[in-house]
Amino acid sequence: MSREHHQMRIRIPHELKSDLEEASKANKRSLNAEITSRLEFSLKHQAEDTYESKFSEKIDTILEETKKHHEILNKLQDSVIFGNYGSGKSSGYKDMKIKELKEK
């Protein structure tokens, strides 16, 4: 046994041990290699799931912030178009935009 590998004793249910022995035979590897392979696979995918979960959460946050900014920009645009911004006076531009919006 290599110095890089550590031995450990674990307790597992008899049925699980039998399943692992069958799998190791089907995969043509030792019981130790089967268990090691399955643990490595599990840990690798757990790390990927965690990364994907954090990435997904970040995307959701960005989308929510984008929606908020979009709503703010729409309100600001409406206030400019409909003359509610600045002096509050109506302009030809406002009338033109209202007509343009009605045509859509």
Side-chain angles (χ1 to χ4, degrees), residues 9 30 40 47 65-67 76 80 98:
R9 299 187 84 169
S30 69
E40 287 173 343
E65 290 297 317
T66 301
K67 286 178 187 177
L76 182 59
V80 170
I98 291 171

Side-chain angles (χ1 to χ4, degrees), residues 10-66:
I10 60 169
R11 292 188 185 123
I12 60 173
H14 177 72
E15 188 175 307
L16 179 57
K17 183 177 183 234
S18 296
D19 291 345
L20 286 166
E21 287 172 336
E22 287 179 28
S24 70
K25 287 177 187 172
N27 292 321
K28 297 181 176 153
R29 54 184 165 203
S30 69
L31 180 58
N32 183 72
E34 184 68 29
I35 293 169
T36 301
S37 174
R38 287 172 178 261
L39 287 171
E40 287 173 343
F41 180 84
S42 174
L43 291 172
K44 177 184 177 197
H45 284 82
Q46 179 185 8
E48 288 174 1
D49 290 344
T50 301
Y51 173 78
E52 288 173 6
S53 176
K54 287 180 182 178
F55 184 75
S56 179
E57 288 172 11
K58 190 69 169 172
I59 293 293
D60 289 343
T61 301
I62 291 169
L63 287 173
E64 284 300 315
E65 290 297 317
T66 301

